[in-house]
Amino acid sequence: MNNNWFPRFAARMFGTLAAVGMAWSGLGNATTHAQQFGGPSSSNTMMHDGQAFRVVQASDPAAGGWDLGAMQSAMNASSSSFGNEVAQVGHHGLGQAQSCGSCGTQCGGACGSAGFGGGMACPTCDPYRYASVEALFMRREGIDNFTVARDFALDDLDFEWAPRITVGVVPDCVNGFEVGFTGVLDWESDVSVAAVDGLSTLLIEDPLQPGTLGTFGFDAADEADAQRQIYESRFWSVEMNRTMMAWDVAKLLIGGRYIDFEEDFNYSTVNGANTGLLRNNAANRMIGLQVGADIYNPIGRFSSSYVRARAGGFLNIAESSVLVRNETDILANGAEESTELSGMFEFGTGVRYQVGELMAVRGGFEAWYLTGVATSEEQISSATVTPTFGRSLIADDDVFFIGLTFGAELKY
């Protein structure tokens, strides 16, 4: 918004009022002073301290007075200019009178009240759209040192890149909707070891079936030659939200979201010509509602800090499957499915910089907390391999994600 209109308008009004005041003051003083000092009451002269002064009528421009008609025209022009400048503010300003329907719910309860010029006024706005693309650099926490092998463990999962794309529309400057997609974030920890002295396992044989884990190195006299552990975790989500804009200060939202969180764990072993395998898949299909807010706080002429928060409750259709094979013998093979309640909470903060009229860039830190889910780590926590191993679904694990975000947004 152009902030120079008020000083120009004030200067015009002050000059006009001062001119009118001086003219009328001259007329009144002419009569008063003439009568007070006993001088002539002529409309052309006045007496003061024994001296005569010529009086000029304010309405006589030929004699040096003010043209009141011209002043009225100037005042009208100033008022018109002022109104034009306000009308040019855009969708955040108060412009010319509009009908209530043209500005939607932005009118609030004021539609139908008198505005500038006595018209029916409400804030003007232009429908706009926005799109943002962010690069997420996130890591799934909690895998460090997890193992079912006695001689080595998994490393931390690395930070991985994935996009977060958001597209929205705001028809009346306040109410709108947006859709967003996050992912796919794919983390993997892969550790393999070969040892001359042999490798052993933390898995325990079923007391009712001794000798069933020989390939895994359960027997100290017959340890494995090589072993490998792979842990993979994947996350993606899609959402649609109803949004409510509070000018450029905040965005509130409520809507639906689907989250897909899935993990795989593979533990393989080689003992001479024989091989063994333990495999688990834990999948979570989560659908529910979420609320959120983006809050902005100006810290400079073109920059602001922001806080991004989301909280959601979901119905989680969780599933787990387990396979344990020793050479050609299947020791455990089964799957279990259950419906549970889960939650997803996100918090982020950072800095946003306005590059131009349409574009802004942003960057910051984010932390996510996913609760009430099934993980591969949780499913194989029981080390005794029985025919029912892994069939008891556990969907109460908590998972943390941390990372950085970088992105740009376009508003048009």
Side-chain angles (χ1 to χ4, degrees), residues 76-340:
N76 293 338
S78 299
S79 176
S80 176
S81 176
F82 171 68
N84 290 338
E85 290 188 19
V86 174
Q88 293 171 5
V89 169
H91 68 272
H92 284 172
L94 293 174
Q96 297 176 349
Q98 299 186 16
S99 64
C100 188
S102 64
C103 48
T105 57
Q106 180 67 7
C107 287
C111 212
S113 60
F116 276 119
M120 308 296 287
C122 60
T124 65
C125 69
D126 298 322
Y128 67 90
R129 295 168 289 276
Y130 58 92
S132 67
V133 178
E134 297 174 88
L136 305 178
F137 192 50
M138 306 289 292
R139 184 175 71 184
R140 188 256 203 241
E141 297 290 306
I143 300 303
D144 185 30
N145 293 325
F146 173 75
T147 183
V148 292
R150 187 181 301 276
D151 303 286
F152 67 101
L154 290 168
D155 296 327
D156 272 334
L157 296 172
D158 293 330
F159 284 89
E160 299 293 341
W161 292 96
R164 179 166 61 199
I165 303 171
T166 304
V167 178
V169 60
V170 185
D172 64 358
C173 302
V174 174
N175 299 284
F177 65 90
E178 68 178 27
V179 295
F181 175 80
T182 302
V184 177
L185 284 159
D186 195 344
W187 301 275
E188 182 179 299
S189 179
D190 185 347
V191 180
S192 59
V193 174
V196 177
D197 296 334
L199 302 169
S200 58
T201 183
L202 293 175
L203 297 176
I204 301 174
E205 288 184 341
D206 184 355
L208 301 178
Q209 296 179 319
T212 54
L213 293 178
T215 305
F216 290 87
F218 177 76
D219 189 349
D222 188 19
E223 294 181 330
D225 301 321
Q227 292 186 344
R228 183 183 186 184
Q229 295 184 95
I230 305 174
Y231 200 109
E232 186 176 7
S233 184
R234 292 177 299 277
F235 177 97
W236 64 272
S237 76
V238 61
E239 58 191 275
M240 177 176 289
N241 300 303
R242 183 80 157 81
T243 60
M244 289 148 282
M245 304 294 182
W247 303 112
D248 291 327
V249 177
K251 176 177 74 174
L252 307 179
L253 61 87
I254 181 172
R257 186 176 186 181
Y258 172 80
I259 298 176
D260 190 291
F261 179 64
E262 186 173 357
E263 295 195 323
D264 288 294
F265 176 74
N266 287 274
Y267 172 45
S268 58
T269 181
V270 176
N271 192 338
N274 300 318
T275 61
L277 174 67
L278 185 157
R279 182 173 62 201
N280 170 258
N281 172 264
N284 302 270
R285 322 296 187 203
M286 305 163 56
I287 186 168
L289 298 176
Q290 72 171 359
V291 295
D294 293 343
I295 310 296
Y296 297 92
N297 179 43
I299 58 176
R301 183 177 180 185
F302 299 107
S303 59
S304 60
S305 62
Y306 71 86
V307 171
R308 180 184 187 274
R310 302 287 187 272
F314 302 88
L315 188 67
N316 180 17
I317 303 175
E319 182 180 0
S320 175
S321 62
V322 173
L323 171 66
V324 182
R325 179 178 56 81
N326 182 63
E327 299 182 20
T328 59
D329 297 330
I330 303 299
L331 305 181
N333 185 17
E336 184 73 18
E337 182 177 314
S338 177
T339 301
E340 308 288 342

